[in-house]
Amino acid sequence: MSAVYNVLIADDEPIIREGIRDCVDWDSLGMIVTAEAEDGEEALEIALEQQIDILLVDMNMPFLDGISLMKRLRTERPHCRFVIITGHDEFKYAQEAIRLGVKDYILKPVDPLHLYDVLHHIRTEMNGTLHQEQYLKLATDQIQKNTSLLQEQFCLDWLSGRLHHEEIKQQLEFLHLPVCLPSTLALIRWSGHAEGRPMLKEQDKQLMLFAIGNIAAELLQPAPLVICRESSGLLVICTWCPPDHSTASAIYDNEQQADKMMSAVKDCIGLHVQVHLQSVNSIDEEINNTDIPDDPLLSLEQEVDYSQVMTTAYRHAKLQLDGQSRLSPLVRRARDYIQNHYHNPELTLEKLADVLQVSPTYLSRLMKRELGHSFIHVLVQVRIQKAVHLLKETELSILEIALQVGYDSQHYFSTAFKKMIGVSPNQYRRDTVEQS
């Protein structure tokens, strides 16, 4: 239904105002003469108080002439339409009237048919504008209601390489996401089975996936993020936040965060999931040859192919996650044992092999093949990861932390930490404090 528009007739001659009011069938136009004014100041006051939509205005009125009145209303009520009705063919006003958006210039005595045609045209134009605004508002409301779905589809398209560089930047801005590369991709895989429960229905599986995504997202907030779900059921969380320290530090933070996610999902809903967090700006050089700047908050001017970097990081993350699922039971047991006994300074390859009842040589070769690292490298990774957490979250001395993570020498611990992280434990703690 079209709106009813309020009309104000402004003229200092009562007979003119009466003639205009009576010569038009206002109802058929969807208009109502809300008020009349005999001078410019009165017209301005009424127009603002009563939300006038259409002003029929005489050029020569007391106190405030027609041009001055329209200038004021153009600023304070920009949607108001103007029709000049004057007793003189004053073309000197024509240029100014056009600039003010005057719809027509009618000479007195007013021709009723001409005035009706002008008003009909104005109504058609205003209805079109109104409908356009309504449609735009409806579209905007729908977009806002479905922003999360649009963000998810956009990120899935981005991960799969279906978008080009400029399109990605435009979509990031449109969807109110940081216009830069995400800092981290979190990949979460669930088998679809729940231990100790009968086979789940599809609806229950979808609810479980939804819950898993929300639990993981809570650990990543308040950073901006988008939760995506592939058709295979794989969950991908794109997170926008800069790394705290060096590349190595970010890797260990990611491993710690992955452990937290797996534990949180197990504690909250009793499901076992696999998690891998990939720092987008620290892709392994053997997988990705793209030159990625250290700072992931890239300006629009920097020549970095968002599409290539994102898809490469995603492929690398899936490779890492797939590697987890292909681990043999023996390597899984070895890794779990290291996670639970890293604090023992006497933990060695021989000790671990003895616990698992295999030869050290066989265990070493199997770990290297499936994990890509030697026993000692895996052990140091776990110890430094735990040390990073203690440096951030506690006030323990460096020596106390060294002892807690399995080093009986502060010097040996500091050497290993700097080799892995790039800075000393003391420097790492100072940097953490400065950034908090």
Side-chain angles (χ1 to χ4, degrees):
M1 181 179 293
S2 300
V4 175
Y5 300 109
N6 296 324
V7 179
L8 170 62
I9 302 173
D11 195 294
D12 59 345
E13 299 181 56
I15 191 171
I16 297 297
R17 298 198 302 271
E18 181 180 348
I20 294 173
R21 184 182 66 239
D22 294 341
C23 76
V24 174
D25 182 0
W26 299 100
D27 289 340
S28 68
L29 288 169
M31 299 177 186
I32 181 172
V33 178
T34 303
E36 299 175 17
E38 61 183 15
D39 62 63
E41 288 187 353
E42 182 185 13
L44 177 62
E45 183 178 350
I46 293 172
L48 296 178
E49 287 182 354
Q50 301 190 27
Q51 298 293 295
I52 296 300
D53 301 299
I54 301 169
L55 174 63
L56 306 181
V57 58
D58 186 19
M59 297 300 290
N60 298 307
M61 291 187 296
F63 306 118
L64 192 67
D65 62 47
I67 290 294
S68 300
L69 171 60
M70 290 187 292
K71 283 182 177 179
R72 289 286 301 275
L73 289 178
R74 176 56 61 214
T75 301
E76 301 185 46
R77 187 152 176 77
H79 298 297
C80 186
R81 303 301 205 274
F82 306 129
V83 176
I84 293 176
I85 297 178
T86 183
H88 306 282
D89 193 359
E90 300 169 288
F91 288 105
K92 64 180 181 180
Y93 294 119
Q95 185 175 2
E96 185 70 11
I98 291 172
R99 191 179 66 82
L100 292 170
V102 172
K103 292 304 174 184
D104 214 317
Y105 197 97
I106 300 175
L107 291 176
K108 300 175 184 178
V110 175
D111 178 352
L113 292 178
H114 183 196
L115 177 58
Y116 187 92
D117 288 343
V118 169
L119 293 172
H120 184 274
H121 177 76
I122 292 174
R123 185 199 65 179
T124 302
E125 182 184 84
M126 294 181 74
N127 282 345
T129 301
L130 178 63
H131 292 157
Q132 184 183 47
E133 290 175 351
Q134 291 173 339
Y135 289 136
L136 287 174
K137 184 179 185 306
L138 179 63
T140 301
D141 291 343
Q142 289 299 315
I143 288 172
Q144 290 176 345
K145 289 178 182 178
N146 296 283
T147 295
S148 60
L149 293 176
L150 293 172
Q151 290 177 339
E152 178 182 6
Q153 187 57 55
F154 159 67
C155 286
L156 286 172
D157 290 342
W158 189 1
L159 292 167
S160 63
R162 290 193 288 266
L163 303 176
H164 59 75
H165 182 64
E166 288 303 321
E167 186 178 6
I168 291 167
K169 292 194 293 185
Q170 293 169 3
Q171 288 288 319
L172 285 169
E173 186 172 0
F174 174 71
L175 294 171
H176 307 293
L177 294 169
V179 186
C180 59
L181 286 169
S183 58
T184 307
L185 300 180
L187 274 62
I188 307 172
R189 178 178 288 148
W190 172 49
S191 65
H193 302 287
E195 293 183 7
R197 305 182 200 175
M199 184 173 294
L200 296 173
K201 297 179 180 178
E202 183 60 29
Q203 181 179 357
D204 294 331
K205 288 182 180 180
Q206 298 303 320
L207 290 173
M208 288 295 188
L209 284 170
F210 182 78
I212 291 169
N214 284 345
I215 292 168
E218 286 182 5
L219 297 175
L220 296 169
Q221 291 175 343
L225 56 84
V226 176
I227 303 175
C228 306
R229 185 168 61 191
E230 286 192 340
S231 57
S232 64
L234 180 67
L235 291 175
V236 184
I237 304 179
C238 304
T239 307
W240 282 262
C241 60
D244 292 332
H245 297 284
S246 64
T247 296
S249 171
I251 291 172
Y252 292 115
D253 287 345
N254 287 342
E255 291 176 354
Q256 183 181 12
Q257 192 72 277
D259 289 342
K260 287 182 179 179
M261 287 183 185
M262 289 186 285
S263 298
V265 172
K266 180 66 171 65
D267 293 342
C268 292
I269 54 178
L271 298 180
H272 293 280
V273 295
Q274 295 173 295
V275 179
H276 176 72
L277 269 69
Q278 173 67 52
S279 295
V280 175
N281 67 318
S282 60
I283 302 170
D284 193 298
E285 292 182 359
E286 294 180 4
I287 303 295
N288 176 31
N289 293 321
T290 304
D291 184 17
I292 306 173
D294 291 334
D295 183 1
L297 300 178
L298 303 170
S299 68
L300 295 179
E301 289 75 21
Q302 287 180 278
E303 293 299 326
V304 177
D305 190 334
Y306 284 17
S307 178
Q308 183 181 357
V309 173
M310 188 73 153
T311 53
T312 305
Y314 181 49
R315 287 197 302 270
H316 179 53
K318 290 186 73 173
L319 285 172
Q320 296 297 309
L321 190 67
D322 291 342
Q324 291 184 26
S325 63
R326 291 195 297 266
L327 295 180
S328 64
L330 179 61
V331 171
R332 287 180 185 276
R333 289 172 57 200
R335 191 180 60 177
D336 291 344
Y337 190 89
I338 293 172
Q339 286 282 349
N340 294 324
H341 298 84
Y342 66 90
H343 48 79
N344 181 1
E346 296 182 0
L347 178 58
T348 61
L349 175 63
E350 289 71 23
K351 170 71 174 178
L352 178 59
D354 184 57
V355 170
L356 299 177
Q357 297 182 333
V358 295
S359 73
T361 302
Y362 175 72
L363 178 59
S364 176
R365 185 168 62 249
L366 198 61
M367 290 182 68
K368 180 70 174 178
R369 185 173 68 211
E370 294 189 16
L371 297 177
H373 299 292
S374 65
F375 160 79
I376 191 64
H377 184 92
V378 174
L379 176 60
V380 172
Q381 272 191 327
V382 173
R383 285 174 170 173
I384 299 305
Q385 173 188 342
K386 302 299 181 180
V388 164
H389 173 72
L390 293 174
L391 286 165
K392 280 185 171 182
E393 306 296 335
T394 74
E395 295 182 359
L396 295 173
S397 68
I398 303 301
L399 176 58
E400 290 172 323
I401 292 174
L403 296 174
Q404 284 204 20
V405 299
Y407 293 93
D408 51 16
S409 164
Q410 179 175 333
H411 174 72
Y412 185 31
F413 163 67
S414 296
T415 300
F417 189 96
K418 186 170 184 179
K419 182 177 180 180
M420 285 286 179
I421 301 298
V423 295
S424 68
N426 278 318
Q427 183 63 48
Y428 183 90
R429 173 171 275 173
R430 283 195 296 270
D431 292 345
T432 302
V433 170
E434 289 175 359
Q435 294 180 10
S436 62

